[in-house]
Amino acid sequence: MKIKFLLNLVLFFILPINIVYATEPPEKWYFYKVSKNTVLGGEPTFERERLIYRYWQTKLTITDKEVVIDKACTIPEGAMNEIVTPLSYWKSPELVDKYQKIFSEEKIPLENQIQIIKNDLNDKDSPCSKKDFTDLIKIGNFMVFMTKRGYLVIFSKNLEKDRLSSATYRGLNQPLNLLGHPMLSDKKIVKKINKECDYPDDGYYEYDSYNKCPLTELGIYFASVINKLDAEKEYSFEKNKDKFYFTKNQIKEFEYEIYLNIEKNNKLIDRLPIYKENILESAAFAQYYYIDNELKNVWLLNMVESDISQRVEKWRHYKINNTGHFKLLESISCEHRNRKGIVKCHNG
């Protein structure tokens, strides 16, 4: 049975127009996770993190006539939907064993018969090109993309249940909040980052360190926050007739700051740089933030990332007083990693 696909690519703020000819209600599948390991073997790489960031808000809508891949891409006409055995599909018992292993690791049993939606797109410029993706496999309540590099991009029908069991994917189900990430309000995060993010930043390491390093979650989370702030152009809120709003200061091509401003009676009272980004050839510097819902406290975390390691430079806690000014309550500063690989931090 031939299945037609509507080519429908979402770029930036363009919303997809889905024309549905289905005679049955469409099935909706939501991003669940990316496999921890690859079928090809080898050490984990940044490719997994790129896939998580690219697809973590993606939804598949499947009918009897089309598949729409929301916010990512679509596979064009000509794909075939067929039921096959793993051996007839992968051709060799050795390869079947490898796929059975990786599917088993993700708690998805590879059955005796699998449903395949083939991808025959050879256009190199398409996000759904065969160069990046092979085929789509439907197994029970899961829909799985297989990438050329051997990762499984997994979608699920049971979104709420599966997301709850996916806590190790670093809080990507954390609701997006332009006030920042609540993780930063706990100063113990400084010690945790300096201990668990000590690995080379070149994509090669002996274990899945990314699952432990809080900076990975913060990086992915704030990328979405900044994208939304850019779309909002100006984001503001009020408390007791005081106006709080964000402004952006572009310093250089790869360096900018975002300020939190406090205004009383149309007069600027105080401002604080809450987000920073500075990318150099040898290192990248960032500052993340969290503002509580009561608009009484601000927490800031400065970090540096290089080919050698990642570490915290500074953590600070500010109080917003009744006059609309920022008052520093506590500060922790960290030194460069010493010869023993230890980062020493101190108050002040």
Side-chain angles (χ1 to χ4, degrees):
M1 170 183 176
K2 288 188 177 180
I3 298 181
K4 292 184 179 180
F5 294 86
L6 175 66
L7 183 58
N8 192 5
L9 176 63
V10 177
L11 293 174
F12 298 100
F13 311 115
I14 302 177
L15 298 176
I17 303 174
N18 303 337
I19 305 175
V20 180
Y21 301 97
T23 56
E24 297 180 2
E27 295 180 350
K28 295 188 184 297
W29 305 73
Y30 301 88
F31 174 80
Y32 174 26
K33 60 182 177 179
V34 175
S35 61
K36 181 178 178 181
N37 297 307
T38 74
V39 177
L40 304 178
E43 298 175 342
T45 68
F46 280 117
E47 173 68 8
R48 178 171 178 264
E49 304 309 315
R50 184 188 70 81
L51 290 169
I52 292 173
Y53 176 61
R54 179 179 176 184
Y55 288 102
W56 73 281
Q57 290 182 309
T58 299
K59 176 181 65 178
L60 305 182
T61 302
I62 302 178
T63 72
D64 60 347
K65 291 185 179 291
E66 65 179 11
V67 173
V68 178
I69 307 174
D70 186 17
K71 297 183 179 179
C73 58
T74 61
I75 301 174
E77 295 184 16
M80 294 295 296
N81 184 358
E82 45 187 21
I83 305 295
V84 298
T85 65
L87 183 58
S88 65
Y89 180 67
W90 282 300
K91 308 301 183 185
S92 75
E94 293 79 13
L95 200 52
V96 170
D97 288 342
K98 288 183 179 180
Y99 274 100
Q100 283 180 332
K101 179 182 178 181
I102 193 169
F103 272 86
S104 178
E105 288 176 354
E106 301 302 331
K107 302 189 183 330
I108 303 175
L110 194 59
E111 301 169 349
N112 293 329
Q113 289 188 325
I114 54 178
Q115 182 176 344
I116 304 292
I117 299 176
K118 284 186 172 293
N119 178 17
D120 293 324
L121 179 62
N122 291 312
D123 182 0
K124 295 180 180 180
D125 296 328
S126 170
C128 281
S129 170
K130 286 182 67 175
K131 177 182 177 182
D132 296 318
F133 288 99
T134 54
D135 300 329
L136 189 63
I137 300 179
K138 181 179 180 181
I139 302 177
N141 288 321
F142 297 100
M143 194 72 72
V144 182
F145 268 127
M146 298 182 298
T147 72
K148 279 290 188 180
R149 296 187 180 182
Y151 283 104
L152 306 182
V153 182
I154 304 168
F155 295 81
S156 171
K157 273 187 167 184
N158 301 325
L159 175 65
E160 296 304 322
K161 177 182 176 182
D162 290 340
R163 280 278 176 98
L164 290 175
S165 66
S166 186
T168 58
Y169 287 84
R170 294 176 310 283
L172 291 181
N173 54 350
Q174 173 80 29
L176 191 63
N177 185 352
L178 296 185
L179 294 178
H181 201 301
M183 180 195 302
L184 303 184
S185 62
D186 184 359
K187 64 181 179 181
K188 293 179 181 178
I189 193 68
V190 173
K191 183 176 181 180
K192 182 178 176 66
I193 288 173
N194 287 332
K195 178 181 178 182
E196 297 180 349
C197 300
D198 182 21
Y199 56 86
D201 192 29
D202 55 7
Y204 297 96
Y205 28 86
E206 296 181 355
Y207 59 98
D208 194 10
S209 306
Y210 261 173
N211 275 340
K212 296 182 179 180
C213 176
L215 289 175
T216 304
E217 175 177 343
L218 291 172
I220 294 174
Y221 181 86
F222 275 97
S224 296
V225 168
I226 299 308
N227 284 340
K228 188 170 183 180
L229 279 176
D230 287 342
E232 293 276 350
K233 300 300 182 184
E234 179 180 339
Y235 182 78
S236 63
F237 32 92
E238 293 187 5
K239 177 189 174 186
N240 298 330
K241 297 183 179 181
D242 294 343
K243 182 180 179 182
F244 297 76
Y245 60 96
F246 295 142
T247 55
K248 182 176 179 179
N249 177 32
Q250 188 77 41
I251 302 171
K252 298 178 182 178
E253 183 179 2
F254 299 108
E255 182 181 1
Y256 69 93
E257 299 175 330
I258 293 177
Y259 286 85
L260 173 62
N261 305 273
I262 303 177
E263 194 175 89
K264 282 179 174 286
N265 299 320
N266 297 321
K267 180 181 179 181
L268 181 64
I269 300 299
D270 206 352
R271 68 196 307 231
L272 180 71
I274 58 171
Y275 180 87
K276 294 183 180 182
E277 189 173 299
N278 184 13
I279 302 175
L280 306 176
E281 290 185 4
S282 58
F285 299 84
Q287 177 178 288
Y288 301 127
Y289 68 91
Y290 176 58
I291 307 165
D292 62 9
N293 292 326
E294 292 76 25
L295 304 177
K296 292 182 178 180
N297 297 276
V298 179
W299 291 269
L300 303 177
L301 178 78
N302 291 75
M303 55 80 60
V304 59
E305 180 178 5
S306 69
D307 291 341
I308 301 174
S309 66
Q310 303 177 92
R311 65 177 176 84
V312 173
E313 284 192 313
K314 185 173 288 188
W315 175 92
R316 285 163 289 166
H317 175 200
Y318 288 86
K319 183 80 173 179
I320 302 176
N321 61 29
N322 294 331
T323 62
H325 289 83
F326 298 101
K327 181 181 179 181
L328 181 62
L329 295 184
E330 189 175 7
S331 177
I332 299 175
S333 298
C334 300
E335 301 172 358
H336 290 281
R337 202 174 300 276
N338 62 26
R339 293 182 179 179
K340 295 182 178 181
I342 298 174
V343 177
K344 292 185 178 181
C345 301
H346 55 82
N347 294 330

